[in-house]
Amino acid sequence: MLIFILRRLGLMLLTAFVLTFIVFYLTNLPPNLEKLARSEGSVRMTDESVAAWIEQNGHGGSVLLRYGQWLGVVPGWTRVDDKGVPRGRCFAAGTDPTAAPRYCGILQGNWGHSTFFRGPVLPNLAEKLSATGWLMLWVMIVMIPSSLIIGVVAGMREGSRTDRVLSTFSIATTATPEYVSGVILVALLASPVTGLSPLLADWGLIEGKVLFQGAASPDRITFWSFTLPVMTIALYGIGYIARMTRASMTEVMTAQYIRTARLKGASFRQVVLKHALRNALIAPFTVIMLQFPWLLNGVVIVETLFNYKGFGWTLVQAAGNNDINLLLGCSVVAVFVVLVTQLISDIGYVFLNPRIRLS
Amino acid sequence: MEDLTYTAILGRVIAQFLPVWIALVVTFAVSIAFKRRLGLYGKLFDSPVGMIGFGIVMFWVFTALLADHIITFDPYLQISGMKNKPMGTVLANAAEGQYSHFLFGGDHLARDVFSRMVMGAREVLKIAPAATLFAFMVGITLGLPAGYFGGRLDTGLSFLANLVLAFPVILLFYLLVTPEIRQTGIPVVLAALLFLFPIIFLTVLLNARFFTDPMKRNLYVGAVLIIGAWAYSGLAFNADPLGVWTMSPNMLNVFVSVVFVNAPTVFRIVRGIVMDLKSRDYVAAGQTRGEGPWYIMLWEILPNARGPLIVDFCLRIGYTTILLGTLGFFGLGVAPDSPDWGSTIDDGRKTLSMFPHAALVPALALMSLVLGLNLLADGLREESLRD
């Protein structure tokens, strides 16, 4: 077991290095750096001064060396510019270079300067991540119990009418990406001209013009502002996890030991709760964990749609404004989340499944 | 002339889709009449779910093909006074021969939402099935040997596939589909790499079957190589001497990224199926006869894996449609006034709470197409499990 975890960890680290290098390479392509030079320096720079700016600000030289500096395993660059002022990666222009540390990359906690936030990347990113954390917490609270219940109830009696109805619902939600369900939910529940809101307002049942808010903010988390974004992300996941749970439940319900339990006289209720459920929930655990990368997508779409200033919104802004350090920071977080959930799902699967654990 | 009621709008929309209804009725009549002779496709008409799914999918396919006869306005035409107008608004002063109403209203640039939705079907169906097919070619060509031979090859390829899968899709799109990256030529390199796989696949496929009969082999493989090289030069490098095969840089960028995202999942599915099937007796029989490994993979294992692969193909077209919509939603890689569904949803969401129809119409269209593909896949799965 220990060797298994160590091997997985090693593979994960290797993957993390390769992935961050790919992201670093793609964000630091020459055209991106030129764009950065023109937005930081001046729009009317000549090609020579753009090249000089790139060189002066430590974006020249080999990609591997720059990646090492960014990571913090290669000493940061230092240079004296044409005005005689020492400049470098690890200290601000004009301060004493000898007092600065030699290495300053993300391993040392220096995630660089964000041109979009006009400040360091790390605290800003942490703040946005906590905003997204609240959103995800509510998504999980809604998504996991409801999808498991739908899946178990549908899979309990395969082919029954309940099963048909719930399966159709699951298929319909998996066919609805977040940007579609978000638009439909807003039109139905948060628009003053269509859907339910004008009706309810006419009858005097709601005070404002709309039932739910079509925008959300991390500062004010209320039922009325959070319902739509949470439902939008959760709906897609509910369908998918419910289908997986149903498949695993139907498989378990046809197993020999379930028949034995029925034959010895246990009630259907007891069979489902005591015998089937535990075995049927092993597969959905993996699925829920592997669903995280897709939830990350949902977060980006929903935060854009509902203008919720969290991690996904930050990623879109970073990419749209060519903020290289911020985009790199977002990528590190995203890659980390994906790899850690993969690791947890692998280990959890082995841990939960006695057939694999004991062999 | 007055604005239309919702019933009148519905009636006129149904009438406007007349060519599609005719095509659908003909398709269904012919298919049901000959369903016993059509194999898996014919069996689809035994399952109600499959038939509904097939009907929805074919509705959009025919809409895309016959779009020119369905649209009521040029999808790019802006008509003054029609900005954000609700569904069924009458044109203030319609010219001679011009359609009298905006059936589904006007968008924020005073264009007809109905015509843009119809044209959007063409934009989506132009890319999604082809990109899925390419992803399958890549996934099958790499997944077969990985599953069959195992060992180092499998470890290496699986590591690469997991690497791509560990990227959150949106991040990958933001990195891969940008105007800057088009300057560096990375999409062309990726295209050159990915577009090789269909040629390799077909060459190996035909060579493995016919290498005992050099005349036939030379004819088939030669034809594949000539046509393949011709299409390859046009699609990957935009250098087709005759100008038949071309792809705009934007489109190439989108196409390549979507193939790149989909291929690793197909690879994993194929690899899993092959590892399961390679212990079967007919594989052992082939090995005893002295067949080559590629013959066994392509002509013994692959045909037996077709059931799950066809089902996944349908599901994956739906997934690709969702991915294309995501790209449009973030305004990546498509022309800003393109009528594809993702971009129109993105345009419409800015005025969503006041004028929901502009975003709602393409959103429902996209949802119905993906739902149709999912139902079709479900029907196919049910029917292919039956035998």
Side-chain angles (χ1 to χ4, degrees), chain A residues 79-132:
Chain A
R79 194 168 284 113
V80 180
D81 67 7
D82 15 307
K83 297 192 188 91
V85 186
R87 300 163 63 94
R89 182 184 162 80
C90 301
F91 53 90
T95 54
D96 182 17
T98 50
R102 249 162 69 76
Y103 299 93
C104 52
I106 56 164
L107 292 179
Q108 284 82 23
N110 181 352
W111 290 44
H113 176 88
S114 156
T115 53
F116 174 70
F117 285 125
R118 307 200 171 281
V121 167
L122 199 53
N124 280 306
L125 199 58
E127 187 200 322
K128 301 299 176 205
L129 266 175
S130 80
T132 297

Side-chain angles (χ1 to χ4, degrees), chain A residues 220-266:
Chain A
R220 269 174 47 87
I221 300 177
T222 64
F223 176 72
W224 299 111
S225 71
F226 242 51
T227 304
L228 292 189
V230 167
M231 283 314 290
T232 307
I233 304 182
L235 263 179
Y236 189 85
I238 287 177
Y240 189 69
I241 300 174
R243 283 177 88 173
M244 293 297 160
T245 316
R246 178 187 172 275
S248 118
M249 188 73 187
T250 50
E251 198 188 317
V252 168
M253 286 307 277
T254 55
Q256 295 282 345
Y257 63 88
I258 296 292
R259 202 173 61 185
T260 313
R262 284 294 276 166
L263 287 177
K264 79 176 186 194

Side-chain angles (χ1 to χ4, degrees), chain A residues 24 28 33 36 52-82 85-98 100-105 108 110 112-113 325:
Chain A
F24 188 87
N28 280 275
L33 293 177
L36 179 74
W53 189 94
I54 291 173
E55 195 60 39
Q56 281 294 333
N57 286 277
H59 296 300
S62 98
V63 185
L64 263 176
L65 273 180
R66 277 183 286 147
Y67 174 68
Q69 292 181 10
W70 172 79
L71 207 60
V73 292
V74 172
W77 55 272
T78 48
R79 194 168 284 113
V80 180
D81 67 7
D82 15 307
V85 186
R87 300 163 63 94
R89 182 184 162 80
C90 301
F91 53 90
T95 54
D96 182 17
T98 50
R102 249 162 69 76
Y103 299 93
C104 52
Q108 284 82 23
N110 181 352
H113 176 88
N325 282 330

Side-chain angles (χ1 to χ4, degrees), chain A residues 190-357:
Chain A
S191 155
V193 289
T194 52
L196 285 179
S197 304
L199 279 181
L200 291 175
D202 271 0
W203 296 339
L205 290 177
I206 47 170
E207 284 182 10
K209 277 202 173 119
V210 291
L211 184 59
F212 290 103
Q213 254 98 57
S217 140
D219 309 325
R220 269 174 47 87
I221 300 177
T222 64
F223 176 72
W224 299 111
S225 71
F226 242 51
T227 304
L228 292 189
V230 167
M231 283 314 290
T232 307
I233 304 182
L235 263 179
Y236 189 85
I238 287 177
Y240 189 69
I241 300 174
R243 283 177 88 173
M244 293 297 160
T245 316
R246 178 187 172 275
S248 118
M249 188 73 187
T250 50
E251 198 188 317
V252 168
M253 286 307 277
T254 55
Q256 295 282 345
Y257 63 88
I258 296 292
R259 202 173 61 185
T260 313
R262 284 294 276 166
L263 287 177
K264 79 176 186 194
S267 69
F268 185 72
R269 199 187 146 82
Q270 261 213 316
V271 169
V272 169
L273 289 179
K274 278 184 78 177
H275 301 264
L277 212 52
R278 275 189 58 179
N279 285 306
L281 291 183
I282 297 173
F285 171 78
T286 326
V287 175
I288 291 173
M289 280 300 154
L290 293 180
Q291 195 64 356
F292 268 89
W294 183 265
L295 283 177
L296 218 56
N297 275 355
V299 163
V300 178
I301 293 170
V302 164
E303 289 185 359
T304 313
L305 192 63
F306 290 92
N307 203 18
Y308 183 83
K309 293 190 173 54
F311 175 73
W313 179 84
T314 311
L315 200 156
V316 173
Q317 298 304 326
N321 293 296
N322 195 37
D323 189 341
I324 294 177
N325 282 330
L326 188 58
L327 191 57
L328 276 169
C330 287
S331 316
V332 171
V333 173
V335 166
F336 183 76
V337 168
V338 172
L339 292 179
V340 165
T341 49
Q342 275 182 1
L343 186 72
I344 294 177
S345 108
D346 278 359
I347 295 172
Y349 187 75
V350 175
F351 194 70
L352 284 175
N353 198 337
R355 268 166 291 190
I356 297 182
R357 188 180 56 207

Side-chain angles (χ1 to χ4, degrees), chain A residues 95-171:
Chain A
T95 54
D96 182 17
T98 50
R102 249 162 69 76
Y103 299 93
C104 52
I106 56 164
L107 292 179
Q108 284 82 23
N110 181 352
W111 290 44
H113 176 88
S114 156
T115 53
F116 174 70
F117 285 125
R118 307 200 171 281
V121 167
L122 199 53
N124 280 306
L125 199 58
E127 187 200 322
K128 301 299 176 205
L129 266 175
S130 80
T132 297
W134 282 109
L135 190 65
M136 293 305 283
L137 178 71
W138 285 107
V139 169
M140 289 295 157
I141 291 176
V142 172
M143 185 177 81
I144 294 177
S146 50
S147 57
L148 291 183
I149 290 171
I150 292 175
V152 167
V153 171
M156 200 158 73
R157 294 178 205 267
E158 195 187 1
S160 67
R161 181 169 297 172
T162 331
D163 178 28
R164 287 274 168 201
V165 171
L166 290 177
S167 299
T168 313
F169 170 77
S170 320
I171 293 181

Side-chain angles (χ1 to χ4, degrees), chain B residues 129-161:
Chain B
T132 314
L133 191 68
F134 271 74
F136 262 77
M137 293 281 187
V138 178
I140 290 175
T141 316
L142 294 175
L144 284 174
Y148 187 78
F149 294 122
R152 289 252 172 86
L153 180 76
D154 182 29
T155 316
L157 286 175
S158 294
F159 179 73
L160 283 181

